[in-house]
Amino acid sequence: MSGKYKTPMLDELEKGPWPSFVTEIKKAAKKSSMADDELGQLEKSYKTKRGYWKHGGIVGVLGYGGGVIGRYSSLPEEFPGIAHFHTVRINQTSGFFYTAKALKEICDIWDKYGSGLTNMHGSTGDLVLLGTTTENLEAIFAEYSSRGWDLGGSGSAMRTPSCCVGPGRCEWSNIDTLDITYTLTQEFQDELHRPAFPYKFKIKTAGCAVDCVAAIARADMSIIGTWKGNIQIDQAEVKKYADKGMNIQAEIIDMCPTNCMAYDGKTLKINDVECNRCMHCIAKMTKALRSGKEKGATILIGSKAPIVVGSLLSWVIVPFIKADAPYTELKELIRKIIGWWDDTAKPRERIGEVIESEGMRPFLEAIGVPPMPQQVKEPRKDPFFFWSESDFK
Amino acid sequence: METAELQDKIFAYMEKMKGKKKLKEKDVIKALAEETSEAPDTVKKALRGMIDVGRLMYSYGGGASSVEIPSEEYLREKGLIK
Amino acid sequence: MALPKRQTDIGPPKYDQFLPPIIKKNYGKWKYHEELSGGTMVHVAESGDKLYTVRVASPRILSTETIREICDLSEKYCDGYLRFTTRNNVEFLVSDQSKVDPLVAELKQKKYLVGGIGDRVSNIVHTQGWVHCHSACTDASGLVKAIMDDLHEYFTTKELPNKVRLAVACCVNMCGAVHCSDIAVVAVHRKVPTINHELVPKVCEIPTTVASCPTSAIRPNPKDKSVIINEEKCMYCGNCFTVCPPIDIHKPEEDGVAIVVGGKVGSLRTDPKFSKLAIPFFYNEPPRWPKVVAAIRNILETYEKNAMKHERVGEWIERIGWESFFKLTGIEFTFQHIDDFTFARDTFRTSAAFKY
Ligand code: HEM
Ligand code: HEM
Ligand code: HEM
Ligand code: HEM
Ligand code: SF4
Ligand code: SF4
Ligand code: SF4
Ligand code: SF4
């Protein structure tokens, strides 16, 4: 089955210390002629410097509008095994935690119905199964869903929410990222599987401003853990850092963006009123410093990749919201935000783009959030502002 | 209105619009809620019922998802017709 | 064979059934963590319990065979508990300290690279490329392999002033959000697509095709039942090709990659930043893209030499100024570097204070 193709270019990429994707494709090709044809076509791409995939063809499972991505070779006669080579997006677990037993079961099913190739994970967060045929889709869905695994989102729908490891293994997490993500994924099953939105909508949750899931850069809604109150200092541990050779003045005090820290060689002081909670000092002196006691989340909206008018980072909308189970306030806020976007957007407009074209004010009014200085870097510099009737009361 | 009757009306509307405009789920719900005076949620439920059994289907094109009448090919693939 | 009965709208299985007992017990009660090596760390809970993490590189594309091997290792050393990171590394979650060294030893013997923790280069976030996407103007996996073969010491052992986060996007759609990375490679087309006027009327919907262009460069050509592209307006995004394949955006001999630098997503010290253009173009040179690899090493080493401790690439560049960045790296400054897109005017210098 395997070894149909000579692949001198790709063989080059089996050399060297970094794990090789070519080796992975070859391993799969031992069992699957689909993977072997993928290898053959890829070698051709390396020779001719172009891809040979076609976009399109409507594929999916009955009742759902997403989760399967149609993919066809544009050279089906040359590479019949990948005439169909669809992607199946499976909901990952919160924080990407698995057991060997569960993963092996996922592999067994995939070997039976697909190419044996995966992405662990796709950039959306989903566990991605690469390469199967249209005829196999219903069977794949029955096998996985009967064992507790559901499909992820695609098309004009919500994407599977994803998050950082959070309280599972990180001392900096201010919120339960794993539980929030699981709860929201369950809450929005309908929005995930049945595309009714103007475009895609992504929710990513990070436990603190370090933002290990890059929520601020790649989610329409970024939920980032934060705190109120003073940073808790353990002076004995501060001393240990100093004793071990940390230059506290240069590495911590001088790098604090708000100049709110002081150290006299004995005691570390923080003027917490001035602290903007950037996480630098806590991340560098994790044994000595802990975030303040009142925990919550900052909600930011709008980031997206540059297509088409330029990239956006998410903007602060709600500086502080409580994020404790059962997350009622958070869920209500999300429903309001999505509702406004759904009513206001033109087709294929992400929420960040709609806020840009409509203005921040209608958005904030619709979701019932007052204007706050935390939402902007600076106030406007032009005198061309509007007044509404409601401003004259 | 009986669900079956509402679903027939939805189907009739879909046939009328076929080839004219790509309809989002929301477009269909709005049109039928107006035509029948049923609550949008009722229409949505009826529509979902049709999609679940393959009488209608979700489609994708132009970067956006839409609702369509399934092709024979699709129905055959799903084992709904021989 | 009869299929099991499908279920819908069940969502993913709940995370807690995959957490090792030590995490369940100390959930949300971690006190601190310490890096033990480039690829191992220990998290210490308030209860005093210790969880050891061993992180290894993965090419992201994994065969079921390799996943099973990873599972076997986790069963042997950590009761089958493992996780993946956002940057597609694999982590073994070990509760028994005595098993850490044997695990690391077996991983090394099996040629896994243990690393990616601390102030180092972690795995490269990337997308599908020629392996699986219609839109790709380079191969993401091949670039990643070539770059990381060269930089592997920065993954396993060598330390840098701070973390350096790399990304590769195989076209300007940037599905992987590379726009906020310390150093990233973005593949670009550079020529207006060619139109097959015979096929367009057969395959494409004209209004959809016209509407697909973000810069309104496409208008209908009723005479041929096809379309015309205004060459002045086209910025080679390839959206039209997505909608209408006879408008071919691929120009294998002219396609290639750009390098952008200085982005970050964390709020530590300075605000999150977008990456900015460092080098506008390299030709695709599969299978190993030697010029791209050398250029990335040059930027990384210049940063390593010049940045202050804890400065990210973007923070270092902002401190010294972009004019100094070009001088120190020896990278040529071209017309492509001067922005003429949506936010251009914000990038022009409005002060008489600058360096040479
Ligand atoms: C015109 C614009 C775009 C087109 C035509 C496009 C097309 C695609 C296609 C065809 C895939 C599937 C690749 C495969 O597995 O076969 C994909 C994946 C993806 N897209 Fe896009 N995309 C576009 C814009 C974007 C943007 C702006 C974002 C993010 C903000 C994005 C996020 C993603 C993600 C996260 C994936 C999964 C990628 C992976 O895990 O490798 N896409 N895109
Ligand atoms: C509705 C808005 C504005 C009106 C009605 C307005 C009106 C004026 C007038 C009548 C002058 C004096 C012109 C002259 O005698 O030569 C002037 C000068 C000027 N305006 Fe404005 N202006 C407006 C907005 C702005 C804004 C938004 C800016 C800058 C951000 C601006 C910057 C200036 C400057 C720099 C001068 C020259 C001052 C000088 O000669 O010392 N103006 N403006
Ligand atoms: C007129 C035809 C089409 C156009 C204009 C088009 C355009 C686009 C655009 C702009 C994106 C990126 C935005 C997004 O992610 O939603 C995209 C992504 C994608 N397209 Fe298409 N497309 C077309 C047809 C199709 C068809 C027929 C399929 C069939 C299955 C398809 C599958 C995908 C997939 C799976 C993505 C990946 C992104 C995602 O939804 O997660 N496209 N397409
Ligand atoms: C695209 C951007 C980034 C991604 C995808 C990313 C991903 C990750 C991942 C996967 C981890 C491991 C956490 C876990 O156990 O799941 C991590 C840890 C961490 N990241 Fe990031 N990260 C990014 C950017 C940053 C930035 C900008 C900073 C700081 C300025 C940062 C600082 C850290 C720290 C301090 C840790 C925890 C300690 C450690 O593992 O050494 N990361 N990141
Ligand atoms: S985002 Fe913060 S809480 Fe989450 S894993 Fe990263 S450092 Fe920890
Ligand atoms: S969190 Fe940031 S701003 Fe606050 S004290 Fe620490 S370094 Fe300074
Ligand atoms: S970045 Fe471009 S080429 Fe790469 S997966 Fe996304 S759409 Fe495809
Ligand atoms: S490549 Fe992009 S900008 Fe150029 S014509 Fe096509 S859609 Fe328009």
Side-chain angles (χ1 to χ4, degrees):
Chain A
M1 190 176 280
S2 73
K4 217 162 49 179
Y5 303 96
K6 287 232 168 353
T7 55
M9 297 275 259
L10 292 176
D11 294 349
E12 277 301 309
L13 290 172
E14 289 198 273
K15 300 172 186 164
W18 193 255
S20 169
F21 70 102
V22 175
T23 308
E24 293 305 312
I25 302 177
K26 285 190 179 174
K27 278 187 186 171
K30 280 189 293 186
K31 293 189 225 153
S32 154
S33 59
M34 297 182 86
D36 204 30
D37 277 358
E38 160 77 40
L39 193 70
Q41 178 171 313
L42 190 60
E43 176 73 13
K44 185 172 178 128
S45 285
Y46 269 66
K47 278 197 207 114
T48 58
K49 304 185 194 177
R50 64 164 298 163
Y52 296 98
W53 293 103
K54 270 196 311 202
H55 194 50
I58 290 142
V59 292
V61 303
L62 192 65
Y64 279 13
V68 182
I69 297 171
R71 191 112 310 223
Y72 303 84
S73 169
S74 61
L75 307 168
E77 269 118 53
E78 205 176 336
F79 302 104
I82 51 173
H84 291 201
F85 203 66
H86 310 322
T87 301
V88 181
R89 289 181 172 170
I90 302 275
N91 272 173
Q92 85 286 10
T93 61
S94 284
F96 309 111
F97 283 95
Y98 296 95
T99 54
K101 184 165 163 279
L103 276 183
K104 283 181 178 175
E105 191 173 73
I106 287 174
C107 290
D108 292 344
I109 301 172
W110 187 232
D111 278 341
K112 196 160 149 201
Y113 295 102
S115 73
L117 285 170
T118 72
N119 280 159
M120 300 294 287
H121 292 76
S123 307
T124 43
D126 294 305
L127 191 165
V128 168
L129 305 173
L130 280 181
T132 189
T133 57
T134 309
E135 302 79 66
N136 280 342
L137 293 173
E138 290 299 331
I140 288 174
F141 184 56
E143 297 268 16
Y144 281 110
S145 67
S146 63
R147 289 173 176 79
W149 300 92
D150 206 341
L151 297 187
S154 68
S156 310
M158 188 175 285
R159 296 292 181 272
T160 311
S162 74
C163 64
C164 76
V165 71
R169 201 199 46 204
C170 183
E171 66 267 26
W172 301 331
S173 194
N174 294 297
I175 51 179
D176 192 341
T177 57
L178 303 179
D179 199 49
I180 290 174
T181 298
Y182 176 74
T183 307
L184 294 181
T185 310
Q186 293 295 349
E187 172 83 12
F188 294 106
Q189 282 295 302
D190 196 38
E191 287 78 358
L192 238 146
H193 294 133
R194 296 178 192 78
F197 287 159
Y199 205 10
K200 58 179 104 173
F201 194 89
K202 302 183 182 173
I203 301 177
K204 293 197 196 296
T205 305
C208 78
V210 173
D211 195 358
C212 296
V213 272
I216 205 166
R218 46 180 206 152
D220 298 276
M221 175 162 192
S222 326
I223 303 174
I224 300 185
T226 188
W227 71 89
K228 283 181 172 173
N230 294 353
I231 293 180
Q232 310 168 58
I233 309 176
D234 181 339
Q235 299 291 354
E237 291 291 345
V238 174
K239 187 163 178 310
K240 282 191 201 155
Y241 277 104
D243 292 345
K244 267 196 255 156
M246 179 184 263
N247 183 343
I248 293 180
Q249 185 65 38
E251 290 181 41
I252 308 294
I253 311 297
D254 294 351
M255 292 190 112
C256 166
T258 59
N259 285 325
C260 68
M261 305 181 82
Y263 180 62
D264 59 6
K266 283 196 220 70
T267 314
L268 182 75
K269 284 199 183 123
I270 300 178
N271 179 5
D272 285 278
V273 183
E274 294 301 325
C275 167
N276 68 10
R277 292 159 294 103
C278 82
M279 281 301 292
H280 170 71
C281 59
I282 295 177
K284 300 307 166 210
M285 302 177 87
T286 185
K287 290 183 185 172
L289 303 179
R290 316 207 71 183
S291 61
K293 285 187 178 149
E294 191 185 346
K295 313 286 194 188
T298 301
I299 306 295
L300 305 91
I301 294 287
S303 66
K304 58 181 265 308
I307 285 281
V308 171
V309 290
S311 8
L312 302 177
L313 281 161
S314 286
W315 303 306
V316 172
I317 300 298
V318 182
F320 192 89
I321 183 170
K322 278 272 170 212
D324 301 324
Y327 317 106
T328 315
E329 203 186 342
L330 189 61
K331 285 185 201 164
E332 278 168 9
L333 181 71
I334 298 174
R335 292 235 177 251
K336 274 192 263 181
I337 289 171
I338 293 174
W340 178 80
W341 168 60
D342 197 13
D343 289 343
T344 317
K346 293 197 277 291
R348 294 191 54 202
E349 259 188 327
R350 298 282 287 271
I351 187 167
E353 296 166 307
V354 186
I355 294 176
E356 261 194 314
S357 63
E358 298 290 315
M360 189 61 93
R361 177 169 185 162
F363 172 61
L364 292 179
E365 283 181 341
I367 63 168
V369 173
M372 286 171 265
Q374 286 76 14
Q375 292 157 343
V376 298
K377 288 181 188 156
E378 56 185 25
R380 71 198 303 145
K381 29 191 178 285
D382 60 79
F384 311 123
F385 37 84
F386 291 102
W387 298 92
S388 306
E389 273 311 313
S390 60
D391 296 320
F392 291 97
K393 270 177 236 144
Chain B
M1 192 181 297
E2 291 289 318
T3 306
E5 192 187 345
L6 180 54
Q7 289 180 332
D8 287 343
K9 286 210 151 91
I10 295 175
F11 196 80
Y13 176 74
M14 294 299 300
E15 279 195 311
K16 193 177 82 189
M17 298 301 286
K18 197 173 167 178
K20 287 192 192 134
K21 189 172 176 254
K22 278 212 189 305
L23 294 171
K24 292 187 58 76
E25 190 181 276
K26 211 165 65 173
D27 300 331
V28 182
I29 294 171
K30 213 171 133 194
L32 268 292
E34 237 158 66
E35 186 187 317
T36 63
S37 313
E38 292 287 338
D41 268 350
T42 315
V43 182
K44 186 168 168 172
K45 273 213 194 85
L47 181 67
R48 288 290 164 77
M50 297 169 80
I51 293 170
D52 282 343
V53 299
R55 199 169 168 203
L56 295 176
M57 68 180 283
Y58 288 111
S59 174
Y60 182 88
S65 305
S66 54
V67 183
E68 273 177 18
I69 298 174
S71 63
E72 274 192 27
E73 192 193 345
Y74 177 86
L75 295 174
R76 210 166 294 124
E77 173 205 317
K78 297 294 173 209
L80 296 171
I81 56 170
K82 281 267 151 45
Chain C
M1 199 177 60
L3 283 172
K5 195 168 151 43
R6 65 172 6 220
Q7 294 176 273
T8 61
D9 301 288
I10 53 171
K14 194 166 181 197
Y15 57 91
D16 56 2
Q17 52 193 290
F18 304 109
L19 300 177
I22 183 173
I23 289 191
K24 275 198 185 154
K25 180 176 162 211
N26 298 290
Y27 193 81
K29 294 192 192 110
W30 299 101
K31 192 150 184 284
Y32 65 89
H33 75 277
E34 258 173 343
E35 288 154 21
L36 304 174
S37 77
T40 52
M41 60 183 164
V42 58
H43 282 77
V44 182
E46 280 158 13
S47 66
D49 288 354
K50 290 182 177 172
L51 169 68
Y52 294 85
T53 298
V54 179
R55 189 181 287 178
V56 299
S58 138
R60 190 175 87 130
I61 294 182
L62 290 178
S63 62
T64 46
E65 186 179 326
T66 301
I67 298 176
R68 284 198 189 90
E69 182 177 276
I70 293 167
C71 288
D72 288 341
L73 285 165
S74 82
E75 277 169 344
K76 186 161 164 195
Y77 293 100
C78 45
D79 307 318
Y81 292 104
L82 74 165
R83 67 178 290 267
F84 293 80
T85 70
T86 316
R87 304 193 76 90
N88 309 314
N89 296 309
V90 181
E91 290 184 337
F92 297 91
L93 305 170
V94 189
S95 329
D96 179 352
Q97 185 183 5
S98 68
K99 299 212 171 132
V100 174
D101 289 341
L103 169 60
V104 171
E106 179 161 358
L107 285 167
K108 287 190 174 158
Q109 181 237 326
K110 292 205 152 72
K111 302 268 181 258
Y112 285 88
L113 283 186
V114 179
I117 292 177
D119 293 343
R120 293 186 172 81
V121 173
S122 185
N123 207 342
I124 303 186
V125 167
H126 64 282
T127 38
Q128 302 291 358
W130 292 333
V131 171
H132 208 236
C133 189
H134 69 290
S135 195
C137 32
T138 195
D139 188 42
S141 311
L143 270 164
V144 168
K145 167 76 175 137
I147 296 166
M148 288 311 293
D149 272 343
D150 185 54
L151 300 182
H152 71 276
E153 285 173 339
Y154 288 100
F155 180 83
T156 52
T157 46
K158 275 194 175 179
E159 276 198 86
L160 290 158
N162 200 333
K163 294 170 194 304
V164 175
R165 296 302 178 225
L166 271 51
V168 172
C170 28
C171 85
V172 290
N173 289 333
M174 300 195 194
C175 294
V178 309
H179 54 291
C180 296
S181 304
D182 291 275
I183 306 176
V185 178
V186 188
V188 288
H189 298 292
R190 297 191 300 164
K191 289 252 169 131
V192 178
T194 31
I195 307 173
N196 181 333
H197 290 292
E198 263 173 40
L199 273 182
V200 168
K202 291 189 197 126
V203 185
C204 313
E205 224 180 273
I206 303 295
T208 321
T209 311
V210 169
S212 76
C213 178
T215 63
S216 311
I218 305 181
R219 59 176 208 278
N221 174 356
K223 217 174 77 224
D224 309 342
K225 297 209 171 73
S226 180
V227 294
I228 305 171
I229 296 179
N230 179 340
E231 310 214 342
E232 305 265 290
K233 283 190 180 169
C234 172
M235 47 101 171
Y236 336 117
C237 71
N239 267 10
C240 50
F241 169 70
T242 304
V243 187
C244 173
I247 307 184
D248 194 359
I249 186 74
H250 296 96
K251 301 272 183 297
E253 293 314 319
E254 295 303 331
D255 292 345
V257 303
I259 295 181
V260 295
V261 300
K264 81 194 238 315
V265 296
S267 297
L268 294 89
R269 300 170 300 283
T270 55
D271 287 350
K273 304 175 200 312
F274 291 120
S275 317
K276 284 117 196 162
L277 183 64
I279 305 178
F281 192 72
F282 285 109
Y283 286 100
N284 273 324
E285 289 182 287
R288 286 209 162 258
W289 288 267
K291 294 200 181 81
V292 178
V293 171
I296 289 178
R297 175 171 277 273
N298 172 39
I299 295 169
L300 190 72
E301 285 179 350
T302 312
Y303 158 75
E304 184 183 13
K305 232 177 280 157
N306 293 282
M308 298 197 312
K309 197 168 179 190
H310 304 319
E311 264 180 346
R312 294 283 293 254
V313 172
E315 294 171 308
W316 161 62
I317 298 175
E318 280 178 9
R319 175 171 57 81
I320 63 170
W322 283 92
E323 62 277 32
S324 301
F325 168 79
F326 284 99
K327 187 168 141 188
L328 285 173
T329 53
I331 295 171
E332 186 194 358
F333 192 81
T334 67
F335 277 121
Q336 276 76 26
H337 286 95
I338 302 182
D339 197 350
D340 49 16
F341 202 51
T342 30
F343 304 118
R345 63 178 176 182
D346 297 340
T347 66
F348 303 148
R349 196 185 295 279
T350 55
S351 147
F354 48 81
K355 302 178 192 171
Y356 284 103

